Amino acid sequence: MVGTKGAETSSRLAESMLELIQRHGYSGTGLNAVVEHAGAPKGSLYFHFPQGKEELGERAVELAAARFGSLVTGSSTATAAVTATASAPATVGEVLGRVIDELAGMLEGSDFQLGCPVSVVTLEMGAESERLRGACADAFESWIAPVSELLVAHGRPRTVARALATAVVSMVEGAVIVSRAQRSTDPLRCAGQAIDVLLAAQGGEASE
């Protein structure tokens, strides 16, 4: 059983993998670099992640899913996320505005070096690794589901809410990529405006 110290080392390795994927991509992130970045003992990586880079990459994707999901829900656990979202007093526009602001701040604060690691891993490894593709699919679902529940809580029919939530997450993900390429948060802000229009056209103002 891994003790507290071991759990801390495992967590540092996953955090380092996540940050390095955001900066250099999955393929550009070597395991030696992860160990060095984490300040972990040599040999600790395969102790904690015996299946190597894919297992560590999967953990990093899960970490990213929880972290980005908390922008919507304020909770890092899927069950609590849906519950919190469904009962949240915030309007759809307020929640999505917060997400856009946080992502814009992340981009500007990192000089546009950090992006969404889930999209990075999907683009690089989705056709190469079923394990990583599945982890990325689960990550996207963990964001779509609470957004859908939020829309249901604000009066959208469930089938419509699901379609809108999928579109919203897809638009934001694409906007982050374009913002990094252009070194500007304008594409992300434009996506936010477009989402407002989309939600308004599908049953009420986004800001409600």
Side-chain angles (χ1 to χ4, degrees):
M1 183 175 180
V2 179
T4 301
K5 186 175 180 180
E8 290 176 353
T9 299
S10 176
S11 178
R12 289 205 314 275
L13 288 166
E15 290 274 2
S16 291
M17 182 68 169
L18 174 58
E19 182 174 338
L20 292 175
I21 287 174
Q22 286 181 285
R23 292 185 178 278
H24 308 298
Y26 180 86
S27 299
T29 297
L31 294 182
N32 289 336
V34 174
V35 172
E36 182 178 353
H37 187 276
K42 290 183 177 180
S44 63
L45 190 146
Y46 282 100
F47 175 79
H48 293 288
F49 300 97
Q51 296 176 49
K53 188 175 181 179
E54 279 198 6
E55 183 179 7
L56 182 56
E58 181 180 41
R59 180 72 63 83
V61 167
E62 293 169 350
L63 180 60
R67 185 165 296 166
F68 281 75
S70 69
L71 296 180
V72 176
T73 65
S75 171
S76 61
T77 63
T79 301
V82 171
T83 301
T85 302
S87 60
T91 66
V92 180
E94 288 170 346
V95 171
L96 295 178
R98 183 175 70 235
V99 171
I100 295 293
D101 287 342
E102 290 286 344
L103 292 174
M106 176 197 73
L107 289 168
E108 292 177 328
S110 68
D111 193 29
F112 297 91
Q113 297 302 303
L114 297 183
C116 175
V118 180
S119 62
V120 169
V121 174
T122 300
L123 291 171
E124 288 190 35
M125 300 300 297
E128 303 294 329
S129 167
E130 180 61 21
R131 179 174 190 168
L132 291 175
R133 185 209 61 76
C136 292
D138 289 344
F140 287 127
E141 177 59 27
S142 75
W143 304 335
I144 292 169
V147 173
S148 179
E149 290 300 317
L150 178 61
L151 290 165
V152 169
H154 285 276
R156 270 70 170 192
R158 190 164 294 277
T159 54
V160 173
R162 174 71 188 189
L164 286 172
T166 302
V168 165
V169 171
S170 300
M171 290 171 70
V172 171
E173 281 292 296
V176 169
I177 294 172
V178 179
S179 287
R180 290 187 73 189
Q182 295 185 356
R183 294 181 60 82
S184 168
T185 59
D186 286 349
L188 191 56
R189 299 295 184 188
C190 289
Q193 294 169 7
I195 288 169
D196 280 346
V197 173
L198 175 64
L199 294 180
Q202 292 295 325
E205 294 295 329
S207 58
E208 297 184 37

